[in-house]
Amino acid sequence: MFTMLLYGSAAVLLFLSWRKSREKTRAALKKAWKSCLGVLPLFFAILLCMGLLLSFVDESTMRQALGQESGMAGIILSGIIGSVTLIPAFAAYPAAAELLRVTGGYAQITMLITSLMMVGIVTLPMEGRFFGIRAALWRNGLGLAYSFALAFFIGAVFGGV
């Protein structure tokens, strides 16, 4: 229902924009289309990687490594994977949903997603050049601490810690 409300609102606002200025609306739609085409190859590549992962690694292995029964070891493994992986959010969330469906480890997948979004080991040198290494280390350390805290909270609510 909520999704239909959002689509309906977008359609109404697009119609109002079209009535106000066809040229600007047409330009905005062209820009949005080009942006979408720019993102699609990356999105499909990540979906392909997830498909390959899910087809080559059996569900019991994933459940053992990242499932609810993996406990603290699974949370730490998820934190390591999330900290060193560089995936955009629009592709990470569907991948996490599929991993959650397969593994059932709420705390572990929470740790994976939050560390993926908030901790950047790969981008640390670049971040250090822009903000200073001390600020970059602090930001990443606080992001990792928050990831652990949220994973424990979710684990306490849904199980898995």
Short mmCIF file of all heavy atoms in Angstrom, two decimals, residues 85-154:
data_model
loop_
_atom_site.label_atom_id
_atom_site.label_comp_id
_atom_site.label_asym_id
_atom_site.label_seq_id
_atom_site.Cartn_x
_atom_site.Cartn_y
_atom_site.Cartn_z
N THR A 85 34.73 -4.56 1.99
CA THR A 85 33.99 -4.62 0.74
C THR A 85 33.48 -3.24 0.37
O THR A 85 33.06 -2.47 1.22
CB THR A 85 32.80 -5.60 0.88
OG1 THR A 85 33.28 -6.85 1.36
CG2 THR A 85 32.11 -5.81 -0.44
N LEU A 86 33.51 -2.96 -0.91
CA LEU A 86 33.06 -1.66 -1.41
C LEU A 86 31.91 -1.91 -2.38
O LEU A 86 32.11 -2.23 -3.54
CB LEU A 86 34.21 -0.94 -2.11
CG LEU A 86 34.01 0.51 -2.47
CD1 LEU A 86 33.71 1.34 -1.23
CD2 LEU A 86 35.23 1.06 -3.16
N ILE A 87 30.68 -1.82 -1.87
CA ILE A 87 29.47 -2.05 -2.67
C ILE A 87 28.51 -0.89 -2.40
O ILE A 87 28.31 -0.52 -1.24
CB ILE A 87 28.77 -3.37 -2.28
CG1 ILE A 87 29.69 -4.56 -2.51
CG2 ILE A 87 27.49 -3.55 -3.07
CD1 ILE A 87 29.11 -5.88 -2.04
N PRO A 88 27.89 -0.33 -3.43
CA PRO A 88 26.92 0.73 -3.19
C PRO A 88 25.67 0.19 -2.49
O PRO A 88 25.31 -0.98 -2.63
CB PRO A 88 26.59 1.25 -4.60
CG PRO A 88 27.04 0.20 -5.52
CD PRO A 88 28.11 -0.60 -4.85
N ALA A 89 25.02 1.06 -1.75
CA ALA A 89 23.86 0.66 -0.94
C ALA A 89 22.74 0.06 -1.78
O ALA A 89 22.11 -0.91 -1.36
CB ALA A 89 23.35 1.87 -0.16
N PHE A 90 22.49 0.61 -2.97
CA PHE A 90 21.37 0.11 -3.76
C PHE A 90 21.57 -1.34 -4.17
O PHE A 90 20.61 -2.04 -4.46
CB PHE A 90 21.13 0.99 -4.99
CG PHE A 90 22.21 0.88 -6.04
CD1 PHE A 90 22.17 -0.12 -7.00
CD2 PHE A 90 23.23 1.79 -6.08
CE1 PHE A 90 23.16 -0.22 -7.96
CE2 PHE A 90 24.21 1.72 -7.03
CZ PHE A 90 24.18 0.70 -7.98
N ALA A 91 22.81 -1.82 -4.19
CA ALA A 91 23.06 -3.21 -4.51
C ALA A 91 23.26 -4.06 -3.25
O ALA A 91 23.00 -5.26 -3.26
CB ALA A 91 24.28 -3.33 -5.40
N ALA A 92 23.71 -3.43 -2.18
CA ALA A 92 23.98 -4.16 -0.94
C ALA A 92 22.70 -4.64 -0.26
O ALA A 92 22.66 -5.74 0.28
CB ALA A 92 24.78 -3.30 0.02
N TYR A 93 21.66 -3.83 -0.29
CA TYR A 93 20.43 -4.21 0.41
C TYR A 93 19.74 -5.44 -0.19
O TYR A 93 19.35 -6.34 0.56
CB TYR A 93 19.48 -3.02 0.51
CG TYR A 93 20.01 -1.92 1.41
CD1 TYR A 93 20.02 -0.60 1.01
CD2 TYR A 93 20.52 -2.22 2.67
CE1 TYR A 93 20.52 0.40 1.83
CE2 TYR A 93 21.03 -1.24 3.49
CZ TYR A 93 21.02 0.07 3.07
OH TYR A 93 21.52 1.05 3.89
N PRO A 94 19.60 -5.54 -1.50
CA PRO A 94 19.02 -6.79 -2.03
C PRO A 94 19.91 -8.01 -1.75
O PRO A 94 19.40 -9.09 -1.46
CB PRO A 94 18.92 -6.54 -3.54
CG PRO A 94 18.97 -5.08 -3.71
CD PRO A 94 19.76 -4.54 -2.56
N ALA A 95 21.23 -7.82 -1.81
CA ALA A 95 22.13 -8.92 -1.50
C ALA A 95 21.97 -9.34 -0.04
O ALA A 95 21.94 -10.55 0.28
CB ALA A 95 23.58 -8.51 -1.78
N ALA A 96 21.86 -8.38 0.85
CA ALA A 96 21.67 -8.69 2.27
C ALA A 96 20.34 -9.38 2.51
O ALA A 96 20.25 -10.29 3.34
CB ALA A 96 21.77 -7.42 3.10
N ALA A 97 19.31 -8.96 1.80
CA ALA A 97 18.00 -9.62 1.95
C ALA A 97 18.09 -11.08 1.54
O ALA A 97 17.52 -11.96 2.21
CB ALA A 97 16.95 -8.89 1.11
N GLU A 98 18.81 -11.36 0.47
CA GLU A 98 18.97 -12.75 0.04
C GLU A 98 19.81 -13.54 1.03
O GLU A 98 19.48 -14.68 1.36
CB GLU A 98 19.60 -12.79 -1.36
CG GLU A 98 19.72 -14.17 -1.94
CD GLU A 98 18.38 -14.87 -2.15
OE1 GLU A 98 17.34 -14.21 -2.21
OE2 GLU A 98 18.39 -16.12 -2.22
N LEU A 99 20.88 -12.96 1.54
CA LEU A 99 21.68 -13.63 2.57
C LEU A 99 20.87 -13.88 3.83
O LEU A 99 21.00 -14.94 4.45
CB LEU A 99 22.93 -12.81 2.90
CG LEU A 99 24.05 -12.87 1.88
CD1 LEU A 99 25.14 -11.87 2.25
CD2 LEU A 99 24.64 -14.27 1.82
N LEU A 100 20.04 -12.94 4.21
CA LEU A 100 19.19 -13.13 5.39
C LEU A 100 18.20 -14.26 5.16
O LEU A 100 17.96 -15.08 6.04
CB LEU A 100 18.45 -11.83 5.73
CG LEU A 100 17.58 -11.87 6.97
CD1 LEU A 100 18.42 -12.19 8.21
CD2 LEU A 100 16.86 -10.56 7.16
N ARG A 101 17.65 -14.32 3.95
CA ARG A 101 16.72 -15.41 3.63
C ARG A 101 17.41 -16.76 3.74
O ARG A 101 16.86 -17.72 4.27
CB ARG A 101 16.16 -15.22 2.22
CG ARG A 101 15.09 -16.25 1.85
CD ARG A 101 14.77 -16.26 0.38
NE ARG A 101 15.86 -16.70 -0.46
CZ ARG A 101 16.27 -17.97 -0.61
NH1 ARG A 101 15.67 -18.93 0.05
NH2 ARG A 101 17.27 -18.27 -1.42
N VAL A 102 18.66 -16.83 3.28
CA VAL A 102 19.40 -18.09 3.27
C VAL A 102 19.91 -18.44 4.66
O VAL A 102 19.80 -19.58 5.09
CB VAL A 102 20.57 -18.02 2.26
CG1 VAL A 102 21.50 -19.20 2.40
CG2 VAL A 102 20.04 -17.93 0.84
N THR A 103 20.46 -17.46 5.38
CA THR A 103 21.14 -17.77 6.64
C THR A 103 20.26 -17.61 7.87
O THR A 103 20.43 -18.33 8.83
CB THR A 103 22.38 -16.86 6.83
OG1 THR A 103 21.95 -15.50 6.96
CG2 THR A 103 23.34 -17.00 5.67
N GLY A 104 19.37 -16.63 7.87
CA GLY A 104 18.54 -16.39 9.04
C GLY A 104 19.26 -15.70 10.18
O GLY A 104 18.73 -15.61 11.28
N GLY A 105 20.48 -15.21 9.94
CA GLY A 105 21.26 -14.57 10.99
C GLY A 105 21.05 -13.06 11.00
O GLY A 105 21.77 -12.33 10.33
N TYR A 106 20.08 -12.60 11.77
CA TYR A 106 19.77 -11.17 11.80
C TYR A 106 20.95 -10.34 12.31
O TYR A 106 21.30 -9.32 11.73
CB TYR A 106 18.54 -10.90 12.67
CG TYR A 106 17.25 -11.24 12.00
CD1 TYR A 106 16.66 -12.48 12.17
CD2 TYR A 106 16.62 -10.33 11.17
CE1 TYR A 106 15.47 -12.80 11.53
CE2 TYR A 106 15.43 -10.63 10.52
CZ TYR A 106 14.86 -11.87 10.71
OH TYR A 106 13.70 -12.18 10.08
N ALA A 107 21.57 -10.77 13.39
CA ALA A 107 22.69 -10.02 13.96
C ALA A 107 23.86 -9.99 12.98
O ALA A 107 24.50 -8.95 12.79
CB ALA A 107 23.13 -10.63 15.28
N GLN A 108 24.13 -11.11 12.34
CA GLN A 108 25.25 -11.21 11.42
C GLN A 108 25.03 -10.34 10.17
O GLN A 108 25.94 -9.63 9.74
CB GLN A 108 25.47 -12.67 11.01
CG GLN A 108 25.96 -13.55 12.13
CD GLN A 108 24.88 -13.96 13.14
OE1 GLN A 108 23.70 -13.68 12.97
NE2 GLN A 108 25.29 -14.63 14.19
N ILE A 109 23.83 -10.35 9.62
CA ILE A 109 23.55 -9.55 8.43
C ILE A 109 23.47 -8.07 8.80
O ILE A 109 23.87 -7.21 8.02
CB ILE A 109 22.28 -10.04 7.71
CG1 ILE A 109 22.43 -11.53 7.32
CG2 ILE A 109 21.99 -9.19 6.48
CD1 ILE A 109 23.63 -11.86 6.48
N THR A 110 23.00 -7.76 10.00
CA THR A 110 23.02 -6.37 10.47
C THR A 110 24.46 -5.87 10.55
O THR A 110 24.76 -4.76 10.10
CB THR A 110 22.35 -6.26 11.86
OG1 THR A 110 20.99 -6.67 11.74
CG2 THR A 110 22.43 -4.85 12.39
N MET A 111 25.34 -6.69 11.09
CA MET A 111 26.75 -6.31 11.16
C MET A 111 27.33 -6.13 9.77
O MET A 111 28.08 -5.18 9.52
CB MET A 111 27.53 -7.39 11.93
CG MET A 111 28.99 -7.07 12.10
SD MET A 111 29.19 -5.62 13.16
CE MET A 111 30.94 -5.47 13.17
N LEU A 112 26.99 -7.02 8.86
CA LEU A 112 27.49 -6.93 7.49
C LEU A 112 27.07 -5.62 6.84
O LEU A 112 27.90 -4.88 6.30
CB LEU A 112 26.99 -8.11 6.66
CG LEU A 112 27.38 -8.11 5.19
CD1 LEU A 112 28.86 -8.44 5.04
CD2 LEU A 112 26.54 -9.09 4.41
N ILE A 113 25.79 -5.30 6.90
CA ILE A 113 25.28 -4.09 6.24
C ILE A 113 25.79 -2.82 6.90
O ILE A 113 26.22 -1.89 6.22
CB ILE A 113 23.73 -4.11 6.21
CG1 ILE A 113 23.27 -5.12 5.18
CG2 ILE A 113 23.16 -2.75 5.88
CD1 ILE A 113 23.65 -4.78 3.76
N THR A 114 25.77 -2.76 8.22
CA THR A 114 26.20 -1.52 8.87
C THR A 114 27.70 -1.29 8.70
O THR A 114 28.13 -0.16 8.45
CB THR A 114 25.82 -1.48 10.36
OG1 THR A 114 26.33 -2.65 11.01
CG2 THR A 114 24.33 -1.38 10.55
N SER A 115 28.48 -2.34 8.78
CA SER A 115 29.92 -2.15 8.56
C SER A 115 30.20 -1.86 7.09
O SER A 115 31.11 -1.09 6.77
CB SER A 115 30.71 -3.37 9.03
OG SER A 115 30.37 -4.53 8.30
N LEU A 116 29.42 -2.42 6.19
CA LEU A 116 29.56 -2.13 4.77
C LEU A 116 29.30 -0.66 4.47
O LEU A 116 30.00 -0.04 3.68
CB LEU A 116 28.58 -3.01 3.98
CG LEU A 116 28.64 -3.00 2.47
CD1 LEU A 116 29.95 -3.59 1.99
CD2 LEU A 116 27.49 -3.81 1.92
N MET A 117 28.30 -0.09 5.13
CA MET A 117 27.95 1.30 4.89
C MET A 117 28.79 2.29 5.69
O MET A 117 28.99 3.42 5.26
CB MET A 117 26.46 1.55 5.23
CG MET A 117 25.48 0.80 4.37
SD MET A 117 25.56 1.30 2.67
CE MET A 117 25.95 -0.23 1.88
N MET A 118 29.30 1.89 6.87
CA MET A 118 29.91 2.86 7.76
C MET A 118 31.42 2.71 7.95
O MET A 118 32.05 3.62 8.49
CB MET A 118 29.24 2.76 9.14
CG MET A 118 27.77 3.06 9.09
SD MET A 118 26.99 2.93 10.67
CE MET A 118 27.61 4.39 11.45
N VAL A 119 31.99 1.59 7.54
CA VAL A 119 33.41 1.36 7.73
C VAL A 119 34.04 1.16 6.36
O VAL A 119 33.52 0.39 5.55
CB VAL A 119 33.67 0.12 8.63
CG1 VAL A 119 35.16 -0.08 8.85
CG2 VAL A 119 32.94 0.25 9.95
N GLY A 120 35.14 1.82 6.11
CA GLY A 120 35.77 1.71 4.80
C GLY A 120 37.26 1.50 4.89
O GLY A 120 38.02 2.46 4.82
N ILE A 121 37.67 0.25 5.04
CA ILE A 121 39.10 -0.04 5.09
C ILE A 121 39.73 0.26 3.73
O ILE A 121 40.82 0.82 3.64
CB ILE A 121 39.35 -1.51 5.48
CG1 ILE A 121 38.76 -1.82 6.86
CG2 ILE A 121 40.84 -1.85 5.43
CD1 ILE A 121 39.31 -1.02 7.99
N VAL A 122 39.03 -0.08 2.66
CA VAL A 122 39.55 0.14 1.31
C VAL A 122 39.71 1.63 1.01
O VAL A 122 40.68 2.04 0.37
CB VAL A 122 38.62 -0.53 0.27
CG1 VAL A 122 39.04 -0.21 -1.15
CG2 VAL A 122 38.56 -2.02 0.49
N THR A 123 38.80 2.43 1.50
CA THR A 123 38.83 3.87 1.21
C THR A 123 39.56 4.68 2.29
O THR A 123 39.62 5.90 2.19
CB THR A 123 37.40 4.41 1.07
OG1 THR A 123 36.68 4.14 2.27
CG2 THR A 123 36.69 3.78 -0.12
N LEU A 124 40.12 4.02 3.29
CA LEU A 124 40.79 4.71 4.39
C LEU A 124 41.95 5.62 3.92
O LEU A 124 42.04 6.76 4.39
CB LEU A 124 41.27 3.71 5.44
CG LEU A 124 41.84 4.29 6.72
CD1 LEU A 124 40.78 5.09 7.47
CD2 LEU A 124 42.37 3.18 7.61
N PRO A 125 42.82 5.17 3.03
CA PRO A 125 43.90 6.09 2.60
C PRO A 125 43.38 7.37 1.95
O PRO A 125 43.88 8.46 2.24
CB PRO A 125 44.71 5.25 1.59
CG PRO A 125 44.41 3.83 1.95
CD PRO A 125 43.00 3.84 2.46
N MET A 126 42.38 7.25 1.10
CA MET A 126 41.82 8.43 0.45
C MET A 126 41.13 9.33 1.48
O MET A 126 41.30 10.55 1.48
CB MET A 126 40.81 8.02 -0.62
CG MET A 126 40.19 9.21 -1.34
SD MET A 126 38.94 8.74 -2.53
CE MET A 126 37.69 8.01 -1.51
N GLU A 127 40.38 8.73 2.38
CA GLU A 127 39.70 9.50 3.42
C GLU A 127 40.72 10.19 4.32
O GLU A 127 40.52 11.34 4.74
CB GLU A 127 38.82 8.56 4.24
CG GLU A 127 37.91 9.22 5.20
CD GLU A 127 37.02 8.25 5.95
OE1 GLU A 127 36.87 7.09 5.53
OE2 GLU A 127 36.48 8.67 6.98
N GLY A 128 41.83 9.51 4.60
CA GLY A 128 42.88 10.09 5.42
C GLY A 128 43.51 11.31 4.77
O GLY A 128 43.87 12.27 5.45
N ARG A 129 43.66 11.29 3.44
CA ARG A 129 44.22 12.44 2.74
C ARG A 129 43.29 13.64 2.80
O ARG A 129 43.76 14.77 2.89
CB ARG A 129 44.50 12.08 1.28
CG ARG A 129 45.89 11.50 1.10
CD ARG A 129 46.25 11.31 -0.36
NE ARG A 129 46.07 9.88 -0.63
CZ ARG A 129 45.36 9.38 -1.62
NH1 ARG A 129 44.77 10.17 -2.47
NH2 ARG A 129 45.24 8.09 -1.76
N PHE A 130 42.00 13.41 2.75
CA PHE A 130 41.05 14.52 2.75
C PHE A 130 40.79 15.07 4.15
O PHE A 130 40.71 16.27 4.34
CB PHE A 130 39.72 14.11 2.11
CG PHE A 130 39.76 14.09 0.63
CD1 PHE A 130 39.88 12.90 -0.05
CD2 PHE A 130 39.70 15.26 -0.11
CE1 PHE A 130 39.93 12.87 -1.43
CE2 PHE A 130 39.75 15.26 -1.48
CZ PHE A 130 39.87 14.05 -2.15
N PHE A 131 40.60 14.18 5.12
CA PHE A 131 40.18 14.61 6.45
C PHE A 131 41.27 14.47 7.51
O PHE A 131 41.06 14.85 8.65
CB PHE A 131 38.95 13.82 6.91
CG PHE A 131 37.79 13.95 5.97
CD1 PHE A 131 37.33 12.85 5.27
CD2 PHE A 131 37.17 15.18 5.77
CE1 PHE A 131 36.26 12.98 4.39
CE2 PHE A 131 36.11 15.30 4.90
CZ PHE A 131 35.65 14.20 4.20
N GLY A 132 42.38 13.88 7.15
CA GLY A 132 43.43 13.59 8.12
C GLY A 132 43.27 12.15 8.60
O GLY A 132 42.15 11.67 8.79
N ILE A 133 44.38 11.49 8.80
CA ILE A 133 44.33 10.07 9.18
C ILE A 133 43.68 9.86 10.54
O ILE A 133 42.95 8.89 10.75
CB ILE A 133 45.73 9.42 9.11
CG1 ILE A 133 45.62 7.90 9.14
CG2 ILE A 133 46.64 9.93 10.19
CD1 ILE A 133 44.97 7.30 7.94
N ARG A 134 43.90 10.80 11.44
CA ARG A 134 43.30 10.66 12.78
C ARG A 134 41.77 10.71 12.70
O ARG A 134 41.08 9.89 13.30
CB ARG A 134 43.83 11.76 13.69
CG ARG A 134 43.37 11.60 15.10
CD ARG A 134 44.05 12.59 16.02
NE ARG A 134 43.52 12.39 17.36
CZ ARG A 134 43.66 13.25 18.31
NH1 ARG A 134 44.31 14.36 18.13
NH2 ARG A 134 43.13 13.01 19.50
N ALA A 135 41.23 11.68 11.97
CA ALA A 135 39.77 11.79 11.81
C ALA A 135 39.21 10.57 11.08
O ALA A 135 38.15 10.06 11.44
CB ALA A 135 39.41 13.07 11.06
N ALA A 136 39.92 10.09 10.07
CA ALA A 136 39.46 8.93 9.32
C ALA A 136 39.44 7.68 10.22
O ALA A 136 38.49 6.89 10.17
CB ALA A 136 40.35 8.69 8.11
N LEU A 137 40.47 7.52 11.03
CA LEU A 137 40.50 6.37 11.95
C LEU A 137 39.39 6.47 12.99
O LEU A 137 38.74 5.46 13.33
CB LEU A 137 41.87 6.25 12.61
CG LEU A 137 43.00 5.77 11.70
CD1 LEU A 137 44.35 5.89 12.42
CD2 LEU A 137 42.75 4.34 11.25
N TRP A 138 39.17 7.66 13.52
CA TRP A 138 38.09 7.87 14.49
C TRP A 138 36.73 7.55 13.87
O TRP A 138 35.91 6.86 14.46
CB TRP A 138 38.08 9.30 15.01
CG TRP A 138 38.84 9.46 16.29
CD1 TRP A 138 40.09 9.98 16.43
CD2 TRP A 138 38.41 9.07 17.59
NE1 TRP A 138 40.46 9.94 17.74
CE2 TRP A 138 39.45 9.38 18.48
CE3 TRP A 138 37.25 8.47 18.08
CZ2 TRP A 138 39.36 9.13 19.83
CZ3 TRP A 138 37.17 8.23 19.45
CH2 TRP A 138 38.21 8.55 20.30
N ARG A 139 36.49 8.05 12.65
CA ARG A 139 35.21 7.82 12.00
C ARG A 139 34.99 6.34 11.74
O ARG A 139 33.92 5.79 12.02
CB ARG A 139 35.11 8.60 10.68
CG ARG A 139 33.69 8.59 10.13
CD ARG A 139 33.64 8.88 8.66
NE ARG A 139 34.25 7.87 7.83
CZ ARG A 139 33.73 6.65 7.58
NH1 ARG A 139 32.60 6.28 8.11
NH2 ARG A 139 34.37 5.82 6.78
N ASN A 140 36.01 5.66 11.25
CA ASN A 140 35.89 4.23 10.99
C ASN A 140 35.74 3.43 12.29
O ASN A 140 34.97 2.48 12.34
CB ASN A 140 37.08 3.74 10.17
CG ASN A 140 36.92 4.05 8.71
OD1 ASN A 140 36.21 3.35 8.00
ND2 ASN A 140 37.55 5.11 8.25
N GLY A 141 36.49 3.82 13.31
CA GLY A 141 36.37 3.14 14.59
C GLY A 141 35.00 3.29 15.22
O GLY A 141 34.41 2.33 15.73
N LEU A 142 34.47 4.52 15.17
CA LEU A 142 33.12 4.74 15.69
C LEU A 142 32.07 4.01 14.86
O LEU A 142 31.10 3.47 15.40
CB LEU A 142 32.81 6.24 15.75
CG LEU A 142 33.58 7.04 16.80
CD1 LEU A 142 33.34 8.53 16.63
CD2 LEU A 142 33.21 6.58 18.20
N GLY A 143 32.26 3.97 13.54
CA GLY A 143 31.36 3.22 12.68
C GLY A 143 31.37 1.74 13.01
O GLY A 143 30.32 1.08 13.06
N LEU A 144 32.55 1.19 13.28
CA LEU A 144 32.66 -0.22 13.65
C LEU A 144 32.01 -0.48 15.01
O LEU A 144 31.30 -1.48 15.19
CB LEU A 144 34.13 -0.63 13.65
CG LEU A 144 34.41 -2.12 13.76
CD1 LEU A 144 33.80 -2.88 12.59
CD2 LEU A 144 35.91 -2.36 13.82
N ALA A 145 32.24 0.43 15.97
CA ALA A 145 31.61 0.28 17.29
C ALA A 145 30.09 0.33 17.18
O ALA A 145 29.38 -0.47 17.81
CB ALA A 145 32.12 1.38 18.23
N TYR A 146 29.58 1.26 16.37
CA TYR A 146 28.14 1.35 16.16
C TYR A 146 27.61 0.09 15.50
O TYR A 146 26.54 -0.41 15.86
CB TYR A 146 27.80 2.58 15.31
CG TYR A 146 26.34 2.68 14.99
CD1 TYR A 146 25.43 3.14 15.94
CD2 TYR A 146 25.85 2.30 13.74
CE1 TYR A 146 24.08 3.21 15.66
CE2 TYR A 146 24.49 2.37 13.46
CZ TYR A 146 23.63 2.83 14.41
OH TYR A 146 22.29 2.89 14.13
N SER A 147 28.35 -0.45 14.56
CA SER A 147 27.94 -1.68 13.88
C SER A 147 27.81 -2.82 14.88
O SER A 147 26.84 -3.59 14.84
CB SER A 147 28.93 -2.04 12.78
OG SER A 147 28.96 -1.07 11.78
N PHE A 148 28.80 -2.95 15.76
CA PHE A 148 28.73 -4.00 16.79
C PHE A 148 27.54 -3.78 17.71
O PHE A 148 26.80 -4.72 18.02
CB PHE A 148 30.02 -4.05 17.61
CG PHE A 148 31.05 -4.98 17.06
CD1 PHE A 148 32.20 -4.47 16.48
CD2 PHE A 148 30.88 -6.35 17.11
CE1 PHE A 148 33.16 -5.31 15.95
CE2 PHE A 148 31.83 -7.21 16.58
CZ PHE A 148 32.98 -6.69 16.00
N ALA A 149 27.35 -2.54 18.16
CA ALA A 149 26.24 -2.25 19.08
C ALA A 149 24.90 -2.57 18.43
O ALA A 149 24.04 -3.20 19.06
CB ALA A 149 26.29 -0.78 19.51
N LEU A 150 24.73 -2.18 17.18
CA LEU A 150 23.47 -2.45 16.49
C LEU A 150 23.29 -3.94 16.25
O LEU A 150 22.18 -4.47 16.41
CB LEU A 150 23.41 -1.68 15.18
CG LEU A 150 22.07 -1.68 14.47
CD1 LEU A 150 20.99 -1.07 15.36
CD2 LEU A 150 22.17 -0.92 13.16
N ALA A 151 24.36 -4.64 15.90
CA ALA A 151 24.27 -6.09 15.69
C ALA A 151 23.86 -6.79 16.98
O ALA A 151 23.02 -7.70 16.97
CB ALA A 151 25.60 -6.63 15.18
N PHE A 152 24.42 -6.38 18.12
CA PHE A 152 24.04 -6.99 19.39
C PHE A 152 22.60 -6.68 19.75
O PHE A 152 21.88 -7.54 20.27
CB PHE A 152 24.99 -6.55 20.52
CG PHE A 152 26.34 -7.17 20.43
CD1 PHE A 152 27.48 -6.39 20.52
CD2 PHE A 152 26.49 -8.54 20.24
CE1 PHE A 152 28.74 -6.96 20.43
CE2 PHE A 152 27.74 -9.11 20.14
CZ PHE A 152 28.86 -8.32 20.23
N PHE A 153 22.17 -5.45 19.48
CA PHE A 153 20.78 -5.09 19.75
C PHE A 153 19.83 -5.93 18.91
O PHE A 153 18.87 -6.50 19.41
CB PHE A 153 20.56 -3.59 19.50
CG PHE A 153 19.13 -3.18 19.64
CD1 PHE A 153 18.53 -3.05 20.89
CD2 PHE A 153 18.35 -2.94 18.51
CE1 PHE A 153 17.21 -2.69 21.03
CE2 PHE A 153 17.02 -2.57 18.63
CZ PHE A 153 16.45 -2.45 19.88
N ILE A 154 20.08 -5.99 17.62
CA ILE A 154 19.22 -6.77 16.71
C ILE A 154 19.29 -8.24 17.09
O ILE A 154 18.29 -8.95 17.07
CB ILE A 154 19.63 -6.55 15.24
CG1 ILE A 154 19.36 -5.10 14.83
CG2 ILE A 154 18.93 -7.53 14.32
CD1 ILE A 154 17.91 -4.70 14.85
#
